[in-house]
Amino acid sequence: MALISPSRRLRRTPFSQGVEEAGVRAYTVYNHMLLPTVFESVEADYHHLKNHVQVWDVACERQVELRGPDAGRLMQMLTPRDLRGMTAGQCFYVPIVDETGGMLNDPVAVKLAEDRWWISIADSDLLYWVKGIANGWRLDVLVDEPDVSPLAVQGPKAEELMVRVFGESIRNIRFFRFGVYQFQGHDLVIARSGYSKQGGFEIYVEGSEFGMPLWRKLFEAGEDLQVRAGCPNLIERIEGGLLSYGNDMTDDNTPHECGLGRFCNTHTAIGCIGRDALLRVAKEGPVQQIRPIAIDGDAVPPCTQFWPVFAGGRPAGRISSAAWSPDFRTNVAIGMIRMTHWDAGSRLEVETPDGMRTATVREKFWM
Amino acid sequence: MALISPSRRLRRTPFSQGVEEAGVRAYTVYNHMLLPTVFESVEADYHHLKNHVQVWDVACERQVELRGPDAGRLMQMLTPRDLRGMTAGQCFYVPIVDETGGMLNDPVAVKLAEDRWWISIADSDLLYWVKGIANGWRLDVLVDEPDVSPLAVQGPKAEELMVRVFGESIRNIRFFRFGVYQFQGHDLVIARSGYSKQGGFEIYVEGSEFGMPLWRKLFEAGEDLQVRAGCPNLIERIEGGLLSYGNDMTDDNTPHECGLGRFCNTHTAIGCIGRDALLRVAKEGPVQQIRPIAIDGDAVPPCTQFWPVFAGGRPAGRISSAAWSPDFRTNVAIGMIRMTHWDAGSRLEVETPDGMRTATVREKFWM
C-alpha cells in the first residue's frame, strides 16, 4: 500500500489533531479533505463499532448552505424527492440529479428554516452545481460552504455517551430529526443520523474552534464506555447497504438504478431539473439496479475498480464495493446487476483480481 | 506518514499499471483520481527531472468537453480572459471565476474547433459549475467528461524522446500550441505544455485502451535517455512559481490576488460571469498577492495548512506551499502577502510547525 502525500490541498479538519493522537493508520480523501479509514485495523474497528461507541471525524461531509427567499425553490430544483411535506427540524436523504437524471451526489438535506438549508454532501463538489444553477436561473439565494464540520458518534452506546455530554433530552431526537443543543455556550445542530447501521448521532460543529474541545469532552465522558476514535467502516457499511457515491454510483446512474426510487416522487416533485428525464424510468423501472451480493471463497482483495459480473458467461453487471465480513463469514458486496439476473438467489460469476469467483444475489443486505 | 486506502472512488488511471510497476511510493488524490507524488524520493525525482526526461501519469487533469453551437459563448462566460483572438490549435491558461470573481479552477483551455473545447482542469469538479451554468442559461451545448487522460513527457530530453515516438515534426509544436499525431492508427492531441519549467509535452490520450501501449512505447524508446516514471514535483513547481489550486488559492481569491492579472482582460471579456465583480480589482489592483518567498533555516516540514506570516509581529499573510530546494539551498515557498509587505526584499516571520522562521519576499521565482 502506498503512502498519502500531505499538502494543504488535502484539507485537515477541526478534529485532525485528535485523529492523529488516536493513531490513525490510513486516510482517504473526500471532498478535498482527509477522512480517516483505519485506526487499529478495519476488522478491529468493525468489531468495536458494533459493540461500543466511536467518535468519527466526518468533517469531510461538507455543507452547502442555501440562504434567502429562493432557498426552498432551489432545493426542490435539485432533487426528485418531493420536499413539500418537509418541516424545519427534519433531515431528508435526497438524491441530487442533473438534467438527464444522472446522480450528482446523494446528500442529506437539513432544513434549518424555510429560507435556510444545509446540504450535507457526499464526495463531489455539489457547491459548484448549486452555484451554477442559482446563477443561471437568477435565483435570490446565497450559496456557500460554511465553517460546519460534522462529528459523528456511532455505535450501540452512542446514546449513552451523548446523554452524558448533552443531557437526557438527546433521547427525544427521532431518526433523521435534529435539535439544537448547547456546547460551551454555543448552539450546535445535532441529528440522529450517521453512516452506519449501529445507531448514533451527527453533531454539526459550527465554528472550527469548538472541534477539539468537543472531541476531548466526548472522550472524557466516554472512557468507561470504551469510546474510541473510529470512522466509516468499509465492512459495516456494505453489510448495511449504505451506498458510497463515487464507489457504487456516479452521474452515469439514475436514483432508480441505485435502489433509491423510494426517495423519488418524480411525479409531484415540480421544479426538479431532472424531472422530465426521470418520469419514464420512475414509471417503468430501471433495467439494472444495485443489489447485495455474497461472493464465495476467502477474503477478496480491495475493490479498486469495477469487477465485471457474468451470468453463464455473459455480462450481467459489476461489483463496486466488497469486503470480507467476519460476522457473516462471507464476502459482502454491492453491485449493479442487470434485470435478468437481479433476483435473489441468482448465481453469478465475479471477475476479481484473484480470478473468477462464484457469487449469489441476496434478498437484502446483511443487517 | 499515513497510508492511502484503496477504493474505486479514488479512480485508477489508464497508466496506473505502469506507475505501479515503476514503484510509486506515494499518491495524492486529484479530481477523485490517483496522482503519483513520489517515486524514488521527492529530491531524487527532482534532480532526475531537471537532467533527463520523465513520463508523468497526469490523467487526473480531467477534461470538461464543450460541444455545440454555444460552446464558445459558454467558454467566454467562464473566464475573464478575452478568448476572441484564440484560434483552433491553441491552448490558453484561463482563470475560471464565479459571479463574485472568486477562482473556481485554473485550467488550460484547449480549442479543438469553434464548437468543440476541452478544459483541462485543476482539482475541483468544474464539470458541475459548467453544467449548472449551461442548464440555467439554456445554452445549446453538451458538457461532459470524455475518456481523455493526459500523459506528460517532461524534462530537458523530452523533445528528443517525443521525436523518437512521433517523428521530427513534433519539434514544430510551439509553446501552448497543439498538433494531432498518430499512435497505433489513432489520433492524439499533443501540446507543448506541462506542469514543470523543464520543457515538454502533454499527450491527451483519448481512449483508455491506448494508455499502457503508449506508456510502454515511451519507455522503450527512451531507455538510453534514462527515462523514468515521474510526477509533478513539489520542489520544482514551487521554484517555477506554478500555482496549485486548492493549495495556493481557492474560491476566496481573485485571479489578481493570484498574480494572474496578465491572463485577465476583464474590460473586453464580454459575457464573463464574474466580469462586473472583477472590474474594480482589475483597475485598482488587489490588496494582497501571491509572492515567491525564501524561508530561512533548515528544511521546513510539509506544509499541510496555511502558515501565518507576520511582519514586525503584525499579520501580513500566509504561506501555502513550501519545500527545501537542494539547488538553491533555501526553503522555497509560495505565499499570499499583503500589499504593505509584498515588495521584494521585505523581511517577514513565518510561523511554521517547528517554530518561527525569518523569511524574505523574492523578486521572482527561482528559475
Side-chain angles (χ1 to χ4, degrees):
Chain A
M1 247 163 100
L3 297 169
I4 189 167
S5 275
S7 70
R8 221 293 301 188
R9 189 172 51 77
L10 308 189
R11 297 180 286 179
R12 291 169 64 83
T13 86
F15 320 109
S16 288
Q17 191 189 340
V19 162
E20 287 163 4
E21 288 170 5
V24 62
R25 297 204 178 169
Y27 284 110
T28 187
V29 177
Y30 197 99
N31 286 323
H32 313 277
M33 202 167 237
L34 294 172
L35 170 62
T37 51
V38 185
F39 284 88
E40 190 179 340
S41 72
V42 176
E43 285 205 13
D45 294 351
Y46 159 90
H47 291 302
H48 181 268
L49 170 63
K50 287 184 160 190
N51 289 292
H52 303 288
V53 54
Q54 297 183 347
V55 177
W56 294 2
D57 173 1
V58 284
C60 67
E61 293 171 2
R62 306 309 296 164
Q63 309 307 303
V64 175
E65 178 164 324
L66 315 183
R67 263 184 298 169
D70 284 337
R73 180 180 167 206
L74 174 55
M75 191 68 231
Q76 184 64 82
M77 290 175 76
L78 303 176
T79 180
R81 186 162 180 182
D82 189 337
L83 304 177
R84 283 176 301 168
M86 187 176 181
T87 56
Q90 280 191 294
C91 309
F92 271 24
Y93 179 60
V94 286
I96 305 283
V97 298
D98 67 14
E99 73 286 357
T100 72
M103 287 190 65
L104 297 178
N105 203 286
D106 67 326
V108 172
V110 180
K111 185 170 181 175
L112 299 165
E114 288 302 324
D115 61 354
R116 185 159 178 248
W117 300 65
W118 284 340
I119 313 176
S120 193
I121 62 172
D123 182 34
S124 72
D125 295 336
L126 188 64
L127 180 68
Y128 279 32
W129 169 252
V130 181
K131 277 171 63 93
I133 293 297
N135 177 274
W137 292 88
R138 280 75 133 198
L139 300 184
D140 203 4
V141 61
L142 195 149
V143 181
D144 62 12
E145 179 182 304
D147 178 17
V148 173
S149 296
L151 186 66
V153 179
Q154 300 284 303
K157 302 179 189 167
E159 188 169 280
E160 173 59 24
L161 175 54
M162 290 293 284
V163 163
R164 294 184 187 182
V165 176
F166 295 101
E168 281 292 328
S169 64
I170 277 286
R171 300 194 199 274
N172 303 329
I173 306 178
R174 286 188 285 153
F175 186 62
F176 263 52
R177 299 268 176 164
F178 70 83
V180 177
Y181 291 79
Q182 292 267 314
F183 178 71
Q184 297 187 341
H186 181 75
D187 281 347
L188 295 179
V189 166
I190 300 181
R192 192 183 288 265
S193 58
Y195 195 64
S196 87
K197 289 286 186 177
Q198 307 308 312
F201 299 84
E202 286 176 304
I203 308 166
Y204 290 79
V205 181
E206 195 169 2
S208 292
E209 67 275 24
F210 297 100
M212 281 311 299
L214 177 59
W215 176 280
R216 298 208 191 286
K217 180 80 182 172
L218 286 162
F219 279 85
E220 278 163 33
E223 208 172 335
D224 61 305
L225 301 175
Q226 298 186 54
V227 63
R228 280 198 205 164
C231 48
N233 183 274
L234 178 69
I235 310 168
E236 197 271 347
R237 78 107 181 147
I238 298 176
E239 289 177 1
L242 295 170
L243 305 185
S244 167
Y245 187 78
N247 280 314
D248 303 315
M249 69 284 203
T250 68
D251 58 0
D252 273 346
N253 306 113
T254 64
H256 302 273
E257 288 179 345
C258 304
L260 305 177
R262 66 188 183 281
F263 300 108
C264 298
N265 319 91
T266 310
H267 196 69
T268 60
I270 313 295
C272 167
I273 286 169
R275 185 172 173 273
D276 289 350
L278 286 176
L279 279 172
R280 204 167 297 274
V281 67
K283 195 172 146 199
E284 297 176 0
V287 299
Q288 58 176 358
Q289 201 169 52
I290 282 177
R291 283 287 184 271
I293 292 159
I295 302 176
D296 301 334
D298 296 338
V300 290
C303 184
T304 62
Q305 50 194 322
F306 289 144
W307 293 343
V309 172
F310 302 91
R314 293 172 59 190
R318 41 82 167 165
I319 299 291
S320 49
S321 296
W324 173 258
S325 164
D327 282 353
F328 296 99
R329 310 299 303 164
T330 186
N331 292 292
V332 295
I334 295 175
M336 185 73 75
I337 305 297
R338 293 196 192 181
M339 193 176 202
T340 46
H341 296 88
W342 75 26
D343 286 344
S346 291
R347 294 290 289 164
L348 304 169
E349 302 101 51
V350 177
E351 189 180 334
T352 75
D354 290 355
M356 279 288 186
R357 299 278 188 102
T358 52
T360 310
V361 177
R362 297 260 314 183
E363 178 66 38
K364 31 177 213 169
F365 286 96
W366 300 259
M367 290 165 51
Chain B
M1 244 163 103
L3 298 169
I4 188 167
S5 275
S7 70
R8 221 291 302 187
R9 190 171 52 76
L10 309 188
R11 297 180 286 179
R12 291 169 63 83
T13 86
F15 319 110
S16 288
Q17 191 188 339
V19 162
E20 287 165 3
E21 288 170 5
V24 62
R25 296 203 179 168
Y27 284 110
T28 187
V29 176
Y30 197 99
N31 285 323
H32 313 278
M33 204 168 236
L34 295 171
L35 170 61
T37 50
V38 185
F39 283 89
E40 191 179 338
S41 72
V42 175
E43 285 205 13
D45 295 351
Y46 159 90
H47 291 302
H48 180 268
L49 170 63
K50 287 185 161 188
N51 288 292
H52 303 288
V53 54
Q54 296 183 346
V55 177
W56 293 3
D57 174 0
V58 285
C60 66
E61 293 170 3
R62 305 310 296 165
Q63 310 307 304
V64 175
E65 179 165 324
L66 314 183
R67 263 183 298 167
D70 283 338
R73 181 180 168 206
L74 175 54
M75 192 67 231
Q76 184 65 79
M77 290 174 77
L78 302 176
T79 180
R81 185 161 180 184
D82 188 336
L83 303 178
R84 284 177 301 168
M86 187 177 182
T87 56
Q90 279 191 294
C91 308
F92 270 23
Y93 179 60
V94 286
I96 305 283
V97 298
D98 67 15
E99 72 286 356
T100 72
M103 287 192 65
L104 298 178
N105 203 287
D106 68 326
V108 173
V110 179
K111 185 171 182 175
L112 299 164
E114 287 302 324
D115 61 353
R116 185 159 178 248
W117 300 67
W118 283 340
I119 312 176
S120 192
I121 62 173
D123 183 33
S124 73
D125 295 336
L126 188 64
L127 180 68
Y128 279 32
W129 169 252
V130 181
K131 277 171 63 93
I133 293 297
N135 178 273
W137 291 89
R138 282 75 135 194
L139 301 184
D140 201 4
V141 61
L142 195 148
V143 181
D144 62 12
E145 180 183 303
D147 177 17
V148 173
S149 296
L151 186 66
V153 179
Q154 301 283 304
K157 301 179 190 166
E159 188 168 280
E160 173 59 24
L161 175 55
M162 289 293 283
V163 163
R164 293 183 188 183
V165 175
F166 294 102
E168 280 292 330
S169 64
I170 278 286
R171 298 193 199 277
N172 303 329
I173 305 178
R174 286 187 284 154
F175 186 62
F176 263 53
R177 298 270 176 162
F178 69 83
V180 177
Y181 290 79
Q182 292 267 314
F183 178 71
Q184 297 186 340
H186 181 76
D187 282 346
L188 295 179
V189 166
I190 300 182
R192 193 183 288 265
S193 58
Y195 195 64
S196 88
K197 289 285 186 178
Q198 306 308 312
F201 299 84
E202 286 176 303
I203 308 167
Y204 290 79
V205 181
E206 195 169 2
S208 293
E209 65 275 24
F210 297 101
M212 280 311 298
L214 177 59
W215 176 279
R216 297 209 191 283
K217 180 80 181 175
L218 286 162
F219 279 85
E220 279 162 32
E223 210 174 333
D224 62 303
L225 300 175
Q226 299 186 55
V227 62
R228 280 197 205 165
C231 48
N233 183 275
L234 178 69
I235 309 167
E236 196 272 345
R237 78 107 179 146
I238 297 175
E239 289 178 0
L242 295 170
L243 305 185
S244 167
Y245 187 77
N247 279 314
D248 303 314
M249 70 283 203
T250 68
D251 58 0
D252 273 346
N253 306 114
T254 64
H256 302 273
E257 289 178 345
C258 303
L260 304 178
R262 65 188 184 282
F263 300 108
C264 298
N265 319 92
T266 310
H267 196 70
T268 60
I270 313 295
C272 167
I273 286 170
R275 185 172 173 273
D276 289 350
L278 286 176
L279 280 172
R280 202 167 298 273
V281 67
K283 195 172 148 199
E284 297 177 0
V287 299
Q288 57 176 1
Q289 200 169 53
I290 282 178
R291 283 287 184 270
I293 292 159
I295 302 176
D296 301 334
D298 296 338
V300 289
C303 183
T304 63
Q305 51 195 321
F306 290 143
W307 293 343
V309 172
F310 302 90
R314 293 173 60 191
R318 41 82 168 166
I319 300 290
S320 49
S321 297
W324 173 258
S325 163
D327 282 354
F328 295 98
R329 310 299 304 165
T330 187
N331 292 291
V332 295
I334 295 174
M336 185 74 75
I337 305 298
R338 292 196 192 180
M339 193 175 200
T340 45
H341 296 89
W342 74 26
D343 286 343
S346 291
R347 295 289 290 165
L348 305 169
E349 302 102 50
V350 177
E351 190 181 336
T352 75
D354 290 355
M356 279 289 185
R357 299 278 188 102
T358 53
T360 311
V361 177
R362 296 260 315 184
E363 179 66 37
K364 29 177 214 170
F365 286 97
W366 300 260
M367 290 165 50

